[in-house]
Amino acid sequence: CDVECTDQGIVMDMDTPDDYQRIIAAASKNKIPTIEDCQRLFTRYRVSEGVIRHGWAVANTAKKLARYLNERGGCFLNIELITAAGLLHDLAKGQPNHAQRGAAILEKEGFPAVAHLVAAHMDLGLDFEKDYLKIDEKAVVYLVDKIIDQEHIGSIEGRFSKAFKKYANDEEILQNIKNKQEQALLLKEKIEYILDIEDLYSFLALKEG
């Protein structure tokens, strides 16, 4: 019986010392999917080219931002985890509750750490008085997704503008959108403080170029 599987471990031999070292290295990554794993997931779950391109833009920008936060801000962010979550955050795009659906898929595939970030990429659920200053992998992916417009750096305000117009007459949904935008703006402000920069958009755009 053939069963589809995205885990490259099923084809890894351990016949030589070099094979053993490769398996040890793979195991030490705590089940973070490789780029090849992500590509297999895209194929298996029929992810559109537009969603994949957006995922790459988020992953690359989030990876760069995380490196600067580690180097300049004394953070200890897991770059591989951020990259994988950036790539896969819209794995279930187009389905109801796509963040939770994508997280469930990744849990099933054996990638719980990435699933945790994907589940939160639409809403961090922060208690502003206690948690908004925390810059972790989840926060970086969330923020960058709100800055990247399709494949390029835009603004948080721009990314939320369509949602504000669409739900202008639904006060409950509108308040939820406002809360999410506030989450992103607070994170942007904190990161600007950590990196000692005036404007994160310009900083990332310069690094993108």
Side-chain angles (χ1 to χ4, degrees):
C1 176
D2 292 333
V3 179
E4 288 189 44
C5 180
T6 56
D7 189 342
Q8 63 180 339
I10 63 169
V11 294
M12 295 179 73
D13 292 325
M14 195 168 64
D15 300 328
T16 68
D18 286 344
D19 289 343
Y20 173 72
Q21 293 302 324
R22 279 193 290 271
I23 288 176
I24 291 296
S28 68
K29 292 182 179 179
N30 194 28
K31 297 300 289 181
I32 297 174
T34 64
I35 298 302
E36 291 76 14
D37 290 331
C38 293
Q39 290 171 334
R40 293 187 190 99
L41 286 165
F42 290 148
T43 300
R44 182 172 182 184
Y45 293 97
R46 299 178 176 85
V47 181
S48 72
E49 286 299 320
V51 169
I52 293 173
R53 288 195 297 269
H54 173 69
W56 273 110
V58 171
N60 288 332
T61 304
K63 177 169 62 175
K64 290 177 184 178
L65 178 57
R67 283 177 175 165
Y68 291 120
L69 286 167
N70 285 350
E71 293 168 4
R72 300 186 183 184
C75 298
F76 297 93
L77 300 168
N78 186 320
I79 303 294
E80 287 182 304
L81 179 59
I82 286 172
T83 303
L87 269 173
L88 297 171
H89 73 279
D90 277 343
L91 181 63
K93 188 72 171 180
Q95 300 182 35
N97 300 315
H98 79 276
Q100 300 303 320
R101 174 57 182 157
I105 290 171
L106 291 165
E107 285 277 2
K108 184 183 72 173
E109 294 286 352
F111 304 117
V114 178
H116 179 64
L117 271 63
V118 169
H121 88 269
M122 291 295 292
D123 190 348
L124 291 174
L126 295 178
D127 179 339
F128 289 139
E129 294 183 359
K130 297 179 180 179
D131 298 333
Y132 88 90
L133 294 179
K134 183 177 182 180
I135 304 298
D136 57 10
E137 291 85 359
K138 183 169 62 174
V140 170
V141 173
Y142 176 87
L143 176 61
V144 172
D145 180 47
K146 305 305 172 286
I147 292 175
I148 297 295
D149 187 359
Q150 295 183 349
E151 301 172 53
H152 302 287
I153 292 168
S155 70
I156 293 167
E157 296 84 352
R159 287 280 276 131
F160 280 95
S161 61
K162 292 181 181 178
F164 279 125
K165 291 178 182 178
K166 182 177 180 179
Y167 297 103
N169 297 320
D170 191 321
E171 189 58 37
E172 183 177 351
I173 295 178
L174 201 60
Q175 186 57 52
N176 188 38
I177 295 169
K178 289 178 181 177
N179 291 341
K180 292 177 181 179
Q181 180 174 269
E182 185 179 0
Q183 290 176 350
L185 289 170
L186 285 168
L187 289 170
K188 173 179 174 287
E189 180 182 310
K190 177 60 179 179
I191 287 174
E192 287 169 343
Y193 174 78
I194 291 173
L195 296 179
D196 191 24
I197 58 176
E198 293 186 2
D199 181 63
L200 182 61
Y201 306 140
S202 300
F203 179 80
L204 291 175
L206 178 64
K207 298 306 177 183
E208 183 185 43

